[in-house]
Amino acid sequence: MSSIKRFAAVLLAIVAVSSVTTEAAADARDKNDDLVEVAKLTTARPSPGAPVLPLLPDDGKDRPTGDGVVAQAAQLPFTYAFDFSSSLVSRTFWPTSGGRACVSLRGTGGSDPSYYGKEIRVEMWNAYGTDTRVGPSVRYTLNGNSYGYCWSGLYPYHEHYFRLVKDWSPTIRVWGTGWASAT
C-alpha cells in the first residue's frame, strides 16, 4: 500500500473518531439541556412589606452577617437587589411545606449596553449537608421586564438557596431587583 493510501486511511479514521466524539459531546449537551428551563414573563410583584435581603458573593463559604455570625435562614417572601459580573447567592431559606419556592427578577441595567437581551441563569441548591443543585437551571432575560419561575419537589425541611450565574463577559456587570416567594 502506498504511503498516500495509508495517509488517507489514517486521516479517514481520525475524522470518523472525531465525528463520533463530537456527536457524543452533542448528546451530552442535549442531556444537560433537558435540565434548562426558561423563566416566563410575570406581572406579579413582590409581597408588600417583604424584607430586603442582600445577595452574597459566591465564595462557597458560610453566609456570615456583618458581625461575623452565620446568618440564619430567611423566611419566604423576601426581596433583593443584584449587581454582579459572575455569580451571587441568596441567603438560605426554607421552601414551603409542599417543597415549592419561586424566584422572580428584573434586570434593569448593565455596565455596557451589550447586556440588553442577554440571559443569566438561576440555579436552586439544597444547602443541607453537602450543597447539591436541585431542579433545572432557569434562564432569565435581562431586558427590563420581570420574569419568574417556581421550583417544586424541593426538600421541605431543608435550607435552600438560589444562585444567579452570568457566564458571558466577566467584565460586564449587570444589575436589577427581584424577589423570592412561595407562589
Side-chain angles (χ1 to χ4, degrees):
M1 191 184 226
S2 75
S3 60
I4 293 176
K5 287 181 181 179
R6 280 190 212 137
F7 177 75
V10 168
L11 184 59
L12 285 174
I14 291 171
V15 169
V17 168
S18 70
S19 69
V20 168
T21 304
T22 303
E23 288 174 21
D27 288 344
R29 258 193 322 272
D30 291 343
K31 287 177 186 170
N32 289 337
D33 287 344
D34 290 344
L35 297 176
V36 176
E37 296 283 337
V38 177
K40 305 289 185 218
L41 270 172
T42 183
T43 57
R45 294 293 170 248
S47 301
V52 177
L53 299 177
L55 298 183
L56 305 166
D58 189 11
D59 57 12
K61 298 178 183 173
D62 285 335
R63 318 291 182 244
T65 61
D67 59 6
V69 176
V70 174
Q72 284 193 302
Q75 298 291 327
L76 295 175
F78 63 86
T79 62
Y80 60 89
F82 63 88
D83 184 340
F84 72 106
S85 298
S86 294
S87 64
L88 288 174
V89 294
S90 73
R91 285 268 300 270
T92 59
F93 60 88
W94 290 282
T96 66
S97 60
R100 183 175 170 90
C102 304
V103 176
S104 298
L105 66 80
R106 179 175 172 243
T108 57
S111 60
D112 183 291
S114 66
Y115 88 91
Y116 190 85
K118 294 209 174 172
E119 296 175 334
I120 62 172
R121 288 181 293 115
V122 176
E123 302 170 343
M124 187 64 64
W125 290 78
N126 178 4
Y128 186 77
T130 304
D131 294 359
T132 53
R133 197 174 103 191
V134 291
S137 177
V138 181
R139 297 188 331 245
Y140 288 71
T141 302
L142 302 173
N143 62 9
N145 293 313
S146 294
Y147 292 88
Y149 184 85
C150 293
W151 284 259
S152 57
L154 304 178
Y155 304 100
Y157 302 105
H158 290 191
E159 290 181 0
H160 287 68
Y161 63 93
F162 59 87
R163 184 172 176 246
L164 305 180
V165 179
K166 182 176 78 62
D167 52 9
W168 48 269
S169 186
T171 60
I172 296 176
R173 288 180 23 246
V174 294
W175 54 81
T177 58
W179 65 97
S181 65
T183 58

